[in-house]
Every structure is written in C-alpha cells, then in structure tokens.
Amino acid sequence: MEDTIFGKISRGEIPVEKVYEDEFVVAIQDLAPQAPVHILVIPKKPLRNVLALQPEDRELAGAVLLACGEVARKMGLEASGVRIVLNAEGDAGQTVFHLHAHVLGGRRLGTMG
Ligand code: AMP
C-alpha cells in the first residue's frame, strides 16, 4: 500500500495534537470539520480501507470501533449522539487511502447519501 499523510501521522512523523491514542489507533481532529465534533480514528496498521480488512484484522477492527466510542464519550456526545462513517473508494468519496473512521457530532446531522 502507498504511504499517505495518515501513515505519517500514525507513525508520529508529522506532529499533530492527538485526541486519543492506544496500541492500535490514533485519533486526531479533521482538518476540514463537517460538524462541531469531527474526529478521525486512524489505525496504525496501514490498510487502504474497510474493504482491505482480513480475518486476521479482527482485533484491530474491534479496536477501531472501541476507540470511536471512547472518542465520542470523551467529546461529550454520549447524550446527543454520534455518527461513525467509513468511506471506501470512489463512490463513497474516499480521499485519503489509509483506513479511518469519521466520528461526527455536536449538531443534528442530515440524512445519509
Ligand atoms: P475521506 O473522504 O473519508 O477519505 O476523508 C478524509 C478526511 O481527512 C477529510 O475529512 C479531510 O478533511 C481529512 N484530512 C485530510 N488531510 C488531513 C490532515 N492532514 N489532518 C487532518 N485531517 C485531514
């Protein structure tokens, strides 16, 4: 897989403020937030997107979801709600080809699509 900006961020090669970090993921503010809370949860393992996940990535996939919940609680979204988005490839509008989950909240979000 080609290296991306998220690869560099997840390896600590580009200094960014981390909202959350554990063994599997790092979470950062999105550069162009689409909501009052817009955090990206980025696995440290380079994977293109959710379509590239393999059975051996089960633990990592779980860790991404757990981190999304942790980040949402940390950002105070427990009562108001949260949307988790995973874009993969062209029709979904993926622009950075390193798996990442968007954690969105802080306003009433529109319908999907
Ligand atoms: P996606 O369309 O799912 O690939 O989303 C990529 C997201 O990464 C977009 O919401 C961008 O605003 C965000 N983004 C791109 N570069 C950076 C960066 N250097 N730091 C933080 N967010 C970024």
Side-chain angles (χ1 to χ4, degrees):
M1 182 185 124
E2 245 178 67
D3 197 17
T4 68
I5 185 83
F6 291 172
K8 292 183 175 71
I9 288 171
S10 67
R11 293 193 301 274
E13 292 168 17
I14 297 176
V16 289
E17 195 185 325
K18 292 169 189 164
V19 175
Y20 173 82
E21 183 171 18
D22 64 26
E23 177 190 352
F24 292 99
V25 307
V26 59
I28 63 168
Q29 301 275 0
D30 195 288
L31 204 61
Q34 304 299 307
V37 175
H38 188 170
I39 308 290
L40 301 171
V41 173
I42 303 168
K44 294 178 177 177
K45 178 175 175 178
L47 289 158
R48 183 176 169 89
N49 55 43
V50 71
L51 299 169
L53 284 169
Q54 298 299 314
E56 62 265 26
D57 297 315
R58 183 178 296 270
E59 193 181 10
L60 175 145
V64 170
L65 269 189
L66 281 170
C68 287
E70 178 67 24
V71 165
R73 285 190 296 273
K74 199 170 171 177
M75 300 307 288
L77 299 178
E78 203 162 2
S80 53
V82 63
R83 179 173 293 166
I84 313 292
V85 175
L86 295 165
N87 292 324
E89 304 299 339
D91 281 356
Q94 185 179 10
T95 56
V96 180
F97 293 93
H98 179 127
L99 178 63
H100 53 281
H102 298 255
V103 178
L104 296 150
R107 69 167 169 83
R108 182 82 184 173
L109 297 164
T111 51
M112 302 271 283

